[in-house]
Amino acid sequence: MNTTVTSRTLQRVIEGLATSDGAGVKLRRSLGQGQGSRLDPFLMLDEFSSDNPGDYIAGFPPHPHRGFETVTYMLDGHMRHEDHLGNVGELKSGGVQWMTAGRGIVHSEMPQQEEGRMRGFQLWINLPAREKMKPASYRDIQPSDIPVAALPDGGRVKVIAGTLRVGNDEIRGPIQGLSTDPLYFDIALPAGAVFSHGLDADYNAFLYPYEGSIRIGPKESSRALKTQSAGVLSPGEQIDVQADADGARFLLLAGRPLREPVVQYGPFVMNAVEEIEQAIADFQSGKFTQDHA
């Protein structure tokens, strides 16, 4: 019986591209630059990071979404979420907002600081066709609700979604049981340290180093991935990552692919052109802001 575990390798690199969104917020986009830079079920990953208020102060005024989930993870700073349903959420350093846009939401994300560092990520995750028109919902996850696991070599993992296995221990993140079964880890490794973890062989996965660089795959054939680049991984049952000489911090994201058609028009992500046309019509007619009950 063959018990060899296949280690995933670096299959493709999507370098982060400097751009802006909202009312001029400067950010770096890796996944989501175009139709060819998605990784089912992940649609987009933006990193925002600046000490200059001019890069972020205008924020993201009211805008619509339909058909997917947005995950905002704040490393440093304070943003306020408000929407047309009257929901208000305070997203502060170390916290996460997991928003399921479903059939429609109009919301804003505005800085609540006039100076200092604003740093974090926004991830877009697709919804299966059967869930695209369900009511909008939210999880505002406080830093204290996100478990942090110590690794044997001095590293640490923040478990936002999915389950981390360290030795005989299982550490479960606050997000579980979604259709795409996402895994979302924020990992910090000291210089030269290695992180190894099993992954479902059928799931797509990528890494995003945001401090330092990393090497991916078995030591004898590993490949380097530099900071602010998304590294799409090959199929396999395990991931092996080594930090460079200065240590590294990186995101590990994995999820069950939906294998459904993706038709996107800005903030609307559906399965057919007709559904996009309906989304535009619903937004223009004001249907998005009607009672969703």
Side-chain angles (χ1 to χ4, degrees):
M1 181 176 179
N2 185 2
T3 58
T4 302
V5 175
T6 304
S7 180
R8 295 190 179 219
T9 58
L10 182 58
Q11 188 175 61
R12 182 186 176 199
V13 175
I14 304 172
E15 293 188 9
L17 178 68
T19 185
S20 65
D21 211 332
V25 177
K26 292 185 178 180
L27 49 84
R28 190 170 291 272
R29 179 166 297 162
S30 50
L31 264 68
Q33 295 173 16
Q35 292 187 6
S37 60
R38 304 188 189 108
L39 180 66
D40 187 13
F42 303 109
L43 300 165
M44 188 188 81
L45 179 67
D46 284 349
E47 176 187 3
F48 49 93
S49 178
S50 180
D51 297 301
N52 178 5
D55 291 342
Y56 62 74
I57 201 67
F60 301 89
H63 57 280
H65 290 300
R66 174 179 280 183
F68 61 100
E69 299 185 289
T70 69
V71 184
T72 307
Y73 173 30
M74 188 70 74
L75 293 175
D76 303 291
H78 181 188
M79 299 271 279
R80 176 177 294 158
H81 157 93
E82 296 183 84
D83 66 36
H84 76 273
L85 298 174
N87 296 302
V88 178
E90 304 293 339
L91 185 57
K92 299 181 180 180
S93 298
V96 172
Q97 185 197 67
W98 202 289
M99 182 181 87
T100 302
R103 64 192 182 200
I105 199 76
V106 178
H107 80 143
S108 64
E109 299 156 294
M110 300 301 293
Q112 300 302 297
Q113 62 191 65
E114 295 181 356
E115 60 183 15
R117 173 180 285 189
M118 180 77 74
R119 182 168 73 142
F121 305 92
Q122 186 166 98
L123 175 73
W124 289 11
I125 307 177
N126 203 6
L127 284 170
R130 66 181 182 276
E131 295 181 17
K132 285 186 176 294
M133 294 299 286
K134 69 181 182 180
S137 61
Y138 306 85
R139 282 285 305 275
D140 287 320
I141 305 167
Q142 302 305 315
S144 58
D145 296 327
I146 301 173
V148 181
L151 299 176
D153 58 8
R156 64 112 182 100
V157 182
K158 293 181 67 174
V159 186
I160 296 169
T163 301
L164 173 74
R165 294 170 179 83
V166 181
N168 295 322
D169 296 328
E170 289 192 351
I171 299 94
R172 292 171 59 85
I175 298 296
Q176 302 281 336
L178 302 181
S179 294
T180 52
D181 192 27
L183 181 150
Y184 192 156
F185 294 167
D186 177 10
I187 303 166
L189 294 179
V194 175
F195 173 78
S196 297
H197 197 273
L199 292 177
D200 191 304
D202 295 328
Y203 285 20
N204 287 332
F206 73 98
L207 296 160
Y208 185 88
Y210 61 94
E211 291 181 10
S213 59
I214 55 178
R215 298 195 68 86
I216 301 166
K219 190 172 183 178
E220 63 277 4
S221 58
S222 64
R223 290 182 57 194
L225 180 65
K226 67 180 183 179
T227 185
Q228 296 183 314
S229 293
V232 177
L233 304 180
S234 69
E237 295 84 29
Q238 179 171 303
I239 179 174
D240 298 291
V241 183
Q242 183 175 25
D244 67 11
D246 296 320
R249 295 182 69 181
F250 59 96
L251 305 180
L252 167 58
L253 290 145
R256 179 189 293 120
L258 297 175
R259 299 186 174 90
E260 295 179 350
V262 175
V263 181
Q264 180 175 357
Y265 181 79
F268 307 136
V269 183
M270 303 300 288
N271 300 104
V273 172
E274 294 78 11
E275 293 170 332
I276 291 292
E277 293 171 344
Q278 186 63 56
I280 295 170
D282 288 348
F283 177 62
Q284 291 176 339
S285 70
K287 194 172 182 179
F288 265 44
T289 54
Q290 294 173 2
D291 187 4
H292 282 208

